[in-house]
Amino acid sequence: MPSAVRFAPLRALARGRRPRALSLLVSNVVPLIGVVALGWNAAALMTLYWFELGIVSGWAVVRGLFAGRPSEIERDALIAGPLAQRRAALPVPRTGLRVRLSSLLVLPIAAPVLCVVWLVVGGLTVGVVADGGPPAATLDTVALATLGVFLGEGATTLVEYFGRGEYREHSAQTAIRGIFARGAAIFVGALITVTLVGAATLDGDDPISAIDPDAVGLPLLLGIIAVKAAFDLAGLYGDRLAAFDESAALDLGLSHEPPSPESPDGSVAGPVETVRQPVRSRLAGAAVTPLGRPGLWYLAAVPALGAALFAVGGDLATATALVAVAVGVPLLLGALDHEFRYGLVSYRAGDDALVARDRLIGATLWRVEPWDETGLRVERNRLDRRLDTETVAIELRDDEYRIPGVADPDPILDVFDRRPDRPDD
C-alpha cells in the first residue's frame, strides 16, 4: 500500500470529485468555445472528440494496469482461469502500487478491443463528418485542445485515481468500463449529425461521404456538445447511480463489486494432512485435457491446412513440421492448463477446513469449511479406473470444486461431516 506521507499532497487535491469534475468541465467547455468563438465546424469538433476517446482509452489502460483488485475471469477459461485464481502481484518499487497477474491477463485482450472501438468510432465519425480532417484555420486550436485534454486526463488519473487511492476499488475491467460510454456518446453525436445533415443536403444518389461539414449549423453542434456532456455527467456520478441500484435492489447492472484483493485464509487447524495428485495422474491428466476442450483443436486447423498444402506440393519436411505444430500446440496448452489447475496444487486437510494452495508461489486458491458444502461426491471415471484413483466433487451453494485423480481421498473426506455419495458404485 502507498504510504500516507507519499501520497498526502495528492490526497489533498483529490477531495470529493473536484479533479474529475474539473477535467470534464475543461473537456466540454473547450469544444464549446471552439464552436461559438473560434468558428469550429463539425469536422473540427468530431476530430477533437475522436482524439479525446483515444486519449481516455490510453489512460484507462494505465489505470487498469495498476488496478488494486483482481479481475473476474471464468475459472473454466483455458490457462487464464487457473492463473487468475492465484492473486499474485508484482510490486512497483517506491510506489506501493502492484501490477496484478489477473490484470496482465485482461489487458492484452482489452487494449486491442479499445483500439478497434477507437478505429470504428473514428471511421463512423471523422471518416464521414470530417472527411479530409478539420480546416487549416482551426487545425492549431484543435491540436491545442487535444493537448489540453491529454494533460487534464493525465492529471486526473494521477491525482484522483492514484492520489485518493481510487485504484484500490477497481479491477482492470472496471477501470476501462467507462470508455465504452464515452465512445457511445461520440458515436451518437456523429450519428445525429450525419442523419440530419445528410437528409437536408444530400440528393438520393450522393454517397454519404459527400456531406459538407460546414453545412452543420451552430444549434446542431451545440446539441452534440450537450449530448456528450450528458454522458460525461452520468459517468461522473456513476457511483451514486450504483449505490441507488444496490440500495433499491433494482438490478439495473450498475452495482458491481470487484473481487477482494486479499487471498482466502490459508490457515488450517491441526492435525493437517496434505493431498496431491500422484505423478501418474498429472501426466495422464495433461495428456487427456485436450480431449475435453475441442476448441483447442481449432488452433490446429491452420497449421494442418498448411501441412496438407505443402504435402501436395511435395515438401514433406515442411509438412511434417506443420503437423508437429498442429498436434503439439493443443497438447502443450492442455498440459499447461492441467498443471496450473491441478498438478501444481496441494490440498491441506485439517479439522476446520480444506484449503487448496499453489505449490509454485504459495498462494491460497480457495478454502472450504465443513459447514460451507452442500454436497459431497466421489466419482471414478474411465481414467480414474485405469489409474486406480478417485475424483472428489465438493458442492457449494453456487459453485463446485473438483479434485481429480487423487490416490487416497479419505483425508479430504474426513474434513466434512457427511458421508460422500458414490454414484459410480
Side-chain angles (χ1 to χ4, degrees):
M1 291 288 182
S3 66
V5 176
R6 188 177 298 141
F7 284 116
L10 295 181
R11 287 198 183 100
L13 291 173
R15 294 173 182 169
R17 292 181 171 82
R18 284 184 294 181
R20 174 61 58 185
L22 182 61
S23 175
L24 293 181
L25 179 65
V26 171
S27 66
N28 286 283
V29 169
V30 167
L32 181 63
I33 295 175
V35 168
V36 174
L38 302 178
W40 286 9
N41 62 1
L45 181 62
M46 286 301 159
T47 300
L48 174 63
Y49 280 163
W50 185 51
F51 282 125
E52 179 186 343
L53 179 62
I55 291 169
V56 172
S57 299
W59 282 111
V61 172
V62 173
R63 292 194 295 270
L65 182 63
F66 299 104
R69 294 202 177 192
S71 300
E72 291 185 274
I73 300 176
E74 291 292 335
R75 199 167 64 234
D76 292 336
L78 180 70
I79 299 179
L83 283 180
Q85 285 189 284
R86 293 155 171 81
R87 300 190 177 182
L90 180 66
V92 180
R94 300 184 179 182
T95 63
L97 300 173
R98 293 182 175 185
V99 178
R100 293 195 166 270
L101 176 60
S102 60
S103 299
L104 296 178
L105 297 173
V106 169
L107 292 180
I109 299 174
V113 170
L114 291 176
C115 289
V116 171
V117 170
W118 185 65
L119 293 174
V120 170
V121 171
L124 297 176
T125 57
V126 179
V128 175
V129 179
D131 187 22
T138 61
L139 190 59
D140 292 340
T141 55
V142 171
L144 288 175
T146 302
L147 179 61
V149 170
F150 176 82
L151 296 177
E153 190 67 24
T156 301
T157 300
L158 178 64
V159 173
E160 187 176 74
Y161 189 76
F162 294 114
R164 197 174 65 180
E166 187 179 312
Y167 67 93
R168 299 190 188 99
E169 307 301 323
H170 282 281
S171 66
Q173 294 155 321
T174 60
I176 66 175
R177 185 173 54 186
I179 305 305
F180 298 98
R182 302 281 285 269
I186 297 173
F187 175 74
V188 169
L191 184 63
I192 294 174
T193 303
V194 171
T195 302
L196 296 181
V197 177
T201 61
L202 295 182
D203 295 330
D205 297 333
D206 291 336
I208 194 171
S209 58
I211 290 178
D212 182 9
D214 295 320
V216 182
L218 180 61
L220 185 55
L221 292 178
L222 295 178
I224 296 172
I225 295 174
V227 170
K228 169 69 166 43
F231 274 84
D232 290 344
L233 192 63
L236 177 63
Y237 292 97
D239 57 341
R240 294 187 178 180
L241 294 175
F244 171 75
D245 181 21
E246 183 176 0
S247 62
L250 297 177
D251 194 18
L252 300 176
L254 299 173
S255 177
H256 178 76
E257 183 73 13
S260 170
E262 303 299 330
S263 298
D265 182 13
S267 62
V268 180
V272 179
E273 293 190 61
T274 301
V275 179
R276 301 174 182 172
Q277 273 196 339
V279 176
R280 64 181 185 275
S281 294
R282 293 176 65 179
L283 295 176
V288 302
T289 294
L291 299 179
R293 293 181 174 274
L296 277 176
W297 295 104
Y298 294 145
L299 299 175
V302 174
L305 178 60
L309 295 176
F310 278 103
V312 171
D315 190 348
L316 297 182
T318 304
T320 303
L322 289 175
V323 168
V325 171
V327 175
V329 168
L331 291 177
L332 177 61
L333 294 178
L336 289 175
D337 181 82
H338 184 271
E339 278 296 288
F340 288 132
R341 198 177 297 274
Y342 303 116
L344 295 174
V345 179
S346 62
Y347 306 92
R348 304 179 69 236
D351 284 344
D352 61 340
L354 175 67
V355 171
R357 288 181 62 85
D358 176 73
R359 292 191 288 144
L360 191 62
I361 61 176
T364 301
L365 304 181
W366 49 264
R367 174 190 176 95
V368 177
E369 298 179 352
W371 47 84
D372 291 337
E373 51 86 21
T374 60
L376 193 62
R377 301 192 314 275
V378 176
E379 305 170 352
R380 297 194 72 192
N381 55 30
R382 184 178 302 176
L383 184 63
D384 285 323
R385 288 191 289 269
R386 287 183 176 273
L387 300 176
D388 193 23
T389 57
E390 293 180 306
T391 297
V392 179
I394 305 170
E395 298 178 8
L396 305 178
R397 290 180 178 86
D398 55 357
D399 203 350
E400 179 179 280
Y401 293 124
R402 297 180 65 84
I403 307 175
V406 292
D408 181 15
D410 288 342
I412 296 174
L413 301 176
D414 291 343
V415 175
F416 307 100
D417 297 330
R418 73 174 71 220
R419 295 183 58 186
D421 298 328
R422 295 180 178 269
D424 293 326
D425 292 342

